[in-house]
Amino acid sequence: YHVKKISQDFFFTMHFFIYYTEGENTMKYLKMIEELCNAYGAPGFEDDVLLIGREYGKDMAEIKEDSLRNLYFYRKENSGNKPVILLDGHSDECAFMVSAIKPNGTIKFIPLGGWTPRDVSAHKVLIRNDEGKWISGVVAAKPVHFMTAAERGVLPAIADMVIDVGACSEEEVRNDFKISMAAPIVPD
């Protein structure tokens, strides 16, 4: 199985399922963990993750969702005389959000979660457009040949970075790529 990203929450869950399952169920649970880990879940946009959770839990549990988008799985087999175990994990991930579209077609963004400039610069990202499609982009900063000597020795702030999706104008970003303000952005 290919897992692109994994959190500590899912690391614990993966070990739990591998240890306490056997045979054909092991592969089913590994596939579930793979899908959960690879789903896009920017804060406030966890729909893909919740959909996967619902799909895997529908046969074994009654599922309820609260106003904060938490999913609760109540096992159908629990007669009330058995211990209850809580497995808790985040359905979101550290991500970004579109904060502005510049006239030259580059996209300003804000971090959602704990990011440092070292972790962001030159990374590939995906932006969800108005049609629900994921548009590929790359985080860019001022090119080194345009920097002063003092700028070369300092990491650029996230606020000074942009995302390039290959557009040449704000109109192209909005009309052709269909990217809007507040669109979620996830690492690729």
Side-chain angles (χ1 to χ4, degrees):
Y1 289 96
H2 176 69
V3 177
K4 292 191 307 189
K5 55 189 175 180
I6 190 162
S7 69
Q8 288 180 335
D9 299 321
F10 283 124
F11 184 72
F12 167 76
T13 306
M14 183 168 54
H15 280 330
F16 177 84
F17 280 123
I18 291 170
Y19 186 77
Y20 289 103
T21 60
E22 52 188 65
E24 64 188 53
N25 282 337
T26 301
M27 297 311 288
K28 175 184 171 187
Y29 290 126
L30 285 173
K31 181 69 175 164
M32 176 190 69
I33 291 166
E34 175 190 27
E35 288 181 29
L36 286 169
C37 290
N38 290 335
Y40 303 124
F45 300 91
E46 299 95 340
D47 301 317
D48 293 347
V49 179
L50 298 180
L51 186 64
I52 292 166
R54 284 181 180 282
E55 183 62 30
Y56 276 95
K58 69 181 179 186
D59 293 333
M60 66 177 169
E62 176 187 349
I63 303 170
K64 294 183 180 178
E65 183 176 338
D66 66 17
S67 61
L68 296 176
R69 306 294 314 269
N70 294 306
L71 287 184
Y72 299 92
F73 296 81
Y74 299 93
R75 283 194 57 94
K76 294 177 182 176
E77 294 87 18
N78 194 341
S79 63
N81 297 323
K82 299 175 184 170
V84 176
I85 297 173
L86 170 68
L87 288 177
D88 184 22
H90 290 268
S91 59
D92 63 356
E93 63 182 308
C94 290
F96 309 96
M97 184 181 291
V98 172
S99 62
I101 302 171
K102 297 175 69 173
N104 68 358
T106 58
I107 299 167
K108 299 290 289 177
F109 60 96
I110 57 171
L112 303 174
W115 290 100
T116 64
R118 181 182 319 105
D119 298 329
V120 178
S121 184
H123 271 67
K124 287 179 59 179
V125 295
L126 296 170
I127 304 172
R128 193 175 81 185
N129 74 5
D130 299 339
E131 297 173 341
K133 296 178 182 171
W134 292 96
I135 307 299
S136 184
V138 66
V139 177
K142 188 177 192 179
V144 68
H145 53 277
F146 289 131
M147 292 181 176
T148 65
E151 289 174 324
R152 286 188 192 118
V154 179
L155 283 172
I158 293 174
D160 296 329
M161 297 178 192
V162 295
I163 296 172
D164 187 347
V165 294
C168 295
S169 68
E170 178 181 359
E171 293 76 24
E172 188 177 2
V173 171
R174 292 183 186 279
N175 300 331
D176 296 343
F177 288 92
K178 303 204 182 323
I179 296 172
S180 298
M181 295 290 294
I185 306 165
V186 295
D188 184 13

